Amino acid sequence: EMYRYGNLATAFFANLRTLSSKNNISFMLVGGENMPFIINAQGDQLNRFVFESLDYFSKETDQSDYSLLVRQPTEKHLNWTDDAIDQLFYLTNGHPFYTKLICEEVFNTALKNRDSEIGVREIASAVDKLVDRLDTPSFAHHWMDGIQKNDEETESIILNRRRCLVAMGRCIR
């Protein structure tokens, strides 16, 4: 209701458009896989906004940016080996959310152990700890985002996506 056609969406995006014309006010809209649907439905209200698509990092074109994303926040405290960065990229496929989760675990463990050298072993250890802790919301976007159907069809699609992911996990295991 917030972004499809209707009174609530119209009121929300009209007010957002008005506020965006004011000095010293900025907005960043984060919509994930739903953003194209939001722009399609509310494009006339969002034409003052600049669209910047942020997605997975690409190994071919974004390797240095990815490395900077990992290293820069902790550069005074941690020394990340190139192999650790490569392993992190391999495990997350360049996905920023999962990269952040693993880096957070690596940082907390390094702080606890007073160890500033981060290698492949520390990445593997962090992943092992995370797998036991992560729950449904950490993965929900894989089966819930980008569905533009009615409620009954949406539930069926979500269930099929979940089953597919579970089947892939079982095959890999």
Side-chain angles (χ1 to χ4, degrees), residues 138-154:
S138 299
F139 298 97
H141 71 90
H142 286 298
W143 56 77
M144 294 181 72
D145 285 351
I147 301 172
Q148 297 295 305
K149 303 286 184 181
N150 64 40
D151 289 340
E152 188 175 302
E153 289 176 297
T154 297

Side-chain angles (χ1 to χ4, degrees), residues 38-115:
I38 294 169
I39 291 171
N40 187 42
Q42 300 296 332
D44 59 328
Q45 298 293 341
L46 297 173
N47 62 5
R48 290 184 176 160
F49 288 80
V50 175
F51 182 74
E52 179 69 38
S53 179
L54 301 174
D55 204 350
Y56 293 75
F57 285 87
S58 166
K59 184 81 167 166
E60 291 78 32
T61 60
D62 303 323
Q63 179 65 27
S64 62
D65 291 335
Y66 185 81
S67 179
L68 197 60
L69 173 77
V70 173
R71 286 183 163 125
Q72 192 172 29
T74 60
E75 65 188 347
K76 294 180 182 177
H77 309 286
L78 300 179
N79 179 35
W80 296 78
T81 66
D82 290 339
D83 288 343
I85 301 291
D86 289 342
Q87 181 67 7
L88 184 61
F89 190 94
Y90 172 76
L91 292 171
T92 64
N93 196 32
H95 193 288
F97 175 74
Y98 295 111
T99 298
K100 179 195 145 312
L101 283 178
I102 295 171
C103 286
E104 183 178 12
E105 184 64 37
V106 166
F107 180 80
N108 290 335
T109 302
L111 189 63
K112 179 182 165 191
N113 295 341
R114 297 176 185 245
D115 182 10

Side-chain angles (χ1 to χ4, degrees), residues 122-133:
E122 286 76 17
I123 300 296
S125 175
V127 170
D128 288 344
K129 290 176 186 174
L130 274 173
V131 168
D132 290 338
R133 248 190 16 243

